[in-house]
Amino acid sequence: MSFSEEFIVAEEDVKKIIEALKGSSNYDFSDYSEKSFRRRIDKIFGDYKMSVPELISTIHKTPVFVEKMIRDISVNTTEFFRDPKIWHEIIDKALPSLLSRPVLNIWHPGCSAGQEVYSLLILLHEYGYTGSIRTFATDINSEMIEEAKKGRYKYRFMAEYLPNFDKVFVEKTGNKSVWEKYTDISVAKDLIAIKPHLSQHVTFTKHNLVNDGNTFGTTFDLIMCRNVLIYFNQALQDHVFNLFWNCLSEDGYMVIGLHESIMGTASKLFLKNGQIYRKNNNPLSTENDWK
């Protein structure tokens, strides 16, 4: 027996809210996953206690409210070295090539509070990369961008993820307590702080994957976009994959979430090996993986 999900806000009202946001700002949620977006709208109505007409009127009249609403709509779940299995694949399948490049250009779209940005920098440093790193970390949520810039996290929220460091590094290198080299931890102050020598490599900036395109003036050796595409419908996913393909260097890599995949014609844009993708410079070929 299957059960359909029930929502507080009617479908036609959700469409009105999307149109109001689109007409009053540069935020277009038309191609977001319908169920995911409606869940966020339901939560907003539960929190704000407004009627649909009141919400739409406020959207049109109050830009500050729109920004607050965007912060509430966006999903900001992340952690240090999330899904160690994927980090093992990065080490095995992409890292040898990346370490050989004198300059690394990296993009983290949907960076949230920055834990994955710092995780990758820790990985590169721990494996002895000595070249120049230029990292762009972007998100639609301006509040998250400010949090990511600080690189300061509540210990009680982050402590459960610290074992991921050992899962990634001990199994591969035998190195223990890697996190102590790159973070300052104070249990008494409930604080985990990224050391400055990591954060100096990063430019944090607001960016909207729906319509901003490549605003960075560069191509990338690696794009890390995990657990973002699951909130988009197929059309928007295709748009983003085309953007990433155009943003990657000829030998660039892309990493998406453990439960994300590329469907349809966009799958021809990349060669797949496990959860790691490499740019396919000949999308008309019949190959869709690499060994």
Side-chain angles (χ1 to χ4, degrees):
M1 183 181 297
S2 61
F3 298 89
S4 59
E5 187 169 358
E6 294 185 1
F7 296 97
I8 298 171
V9 185
E11 182 178 357
E12 58 269 24
D13 289 331
V14 172
K15 291 179 180 178
K16 291 177 184 177
I17 294 166
I18 290 173
E19 286 303 312
L21 288 168
K22 187 176 179 180
S24 300
S25 69
N26 65 342
Y27 297 112
D28 184 358
F29 292 96
S30 304
D31 289 324
Y32 273 58
S33 166
E34 180 182 347
K35 286 185 177 181
S36 176
F37 187 76
R38 288 186 72 181
R39 290 188 198 106
R40 308 307 294 179
I41 292 298
D42 275 4
K43 185 178 185 306
I44 284 171
F45 270 87
D47 293 342
Y48 294 179
K49 310 299 183 186
M50 290 182 178
S51 67
V52 171
E54 287 172 336
L55 182 66
I56 290 175
S57 176
T58 307
I59 288 171
H60 286 310
K61 295 177 181 178
T62 316
V64 173
F65 176 82
V66 171
E67 292 300 320
K68 183 179 187 304
M69 196 173 165
I70 297 307
R71 292 195 293 270
D72 291 338
I73 289 172
S74 59
V75 180
N76 303 301
T77 302
T78 186
E79 62 194 59
F80 287 108
F81 292 104
R82 185 176 189 175
D83 302 322
K85 176 181 180 292
I86 287 188
W87 291 94
H88 290 165
E89 291 199 17
I90 293 171
I91 292 167
D92 291 337
K93 299 166 184 176
L95 196 61
S97 174
L98 295 174
L99 292 177
S100 69
R101 305 179 191 188
V103 177
L104 282 180
N105 293 315
I106 301 164
W107 181 19
H108 291 265
C111 70
S112 189
Q115 289 95 323
E116 185 147 288
V117 177
Y118 297 121
S119 295
L120 182 60
L121 289 171
I122 289 169
L123 186 77
L124 291 169
H125 279 77
E126 194 65 15
Y127 274 82
Y129 182 71
T130 58
S132 175
I133 303 171
R134 296 192 301 177
T135 298
F136 292 88
T138 65
D139 202 279
I140 193 174
N141 186 330
S142 55
E143 191 173 87
M144 283 296 101
I145 288 294
E146 293 306 312
E147 288 300 309
K149 285 180 182 178
K150 296 174 186 174
R152 297 168 68 86
Y153 307 101
K154 295 288 187 182
Y155 176 82
R156 66 179 183 274
F157 294 146
M158 295 294 115
E160 66 181 290
Y161 305 126
L162 292 181
N164 285 351
F165 282 72
D166 289 344
K167 290 177 183 177
V168 170
F169 291 104
V170 172
E171 292 183 24
K172 288 292 182 180
T173 66
N175 297 343
K176 297 181 179 180
S177 301
V178 168
W179 50 268
E180 293 178 343
K181 294 165 61 176
Y182 300 99
T183 66
D184 292 313
I185 295 181
S186 172
V187 178
K189 295 180 179 179
D190 191 22
L191 177 66
I192 296 177
I194 299 296
K195 292 186 177 180
H197 73 277
L198 286 182
S199 56
Q200 68 183 0
H201 295 290
V202 190
T203 298
F204 289 100
T205 186
K206 189 173 180 179
H207 182 276
N208 187 339
L209 277 174
V210 175
N211 50 27
D212 282 351
N214 185 350
T215 59
F216 313 103
T218 188
T219 56
F220 294 97
D221 300 283
L222 175 63
I223 295 175
M224 294 277 289
C225 184
R226 300 209 293 150
N227 306 304
V228 174
L229 299 163
I230 55 175
Y231 301 107
F232 299 166
N233 69 14
Q234 188 63 55
L236 184 51
Q237 287 183 19
D238 289 347
H239 166 78
V240 172
F241 284 130
N242 275 277
L243 170 64
F244 289 170
W245 187 87
N246 283 297
C247 287
L248 283 172
S249 62
E250 288 191 358
D251 50 359
Y253 295 90
M254 177 184 72
V255 181
I256 59 179
L258 187 62
H259 303 293
E260 295 174 323
S261 59
I262 311 178
M263 308 295 289
T265 56
S267 64
K268 297 294 184 182
L269 298 175
F270 302 92
L271 303 173
K272 187 176 188 296
N273 189 334
Q275 205 61 30
I276 312 302
Y277 295 82
R278 193 175 70 196
K279 182 174 182 176
N280 184 3
N281 295 296
N282 184 16
L284 298 179
S285 70
T286 57
E287 297 292 327
N288 59 8
D289 57 10
W290 98 83
K291 300 294 188 290

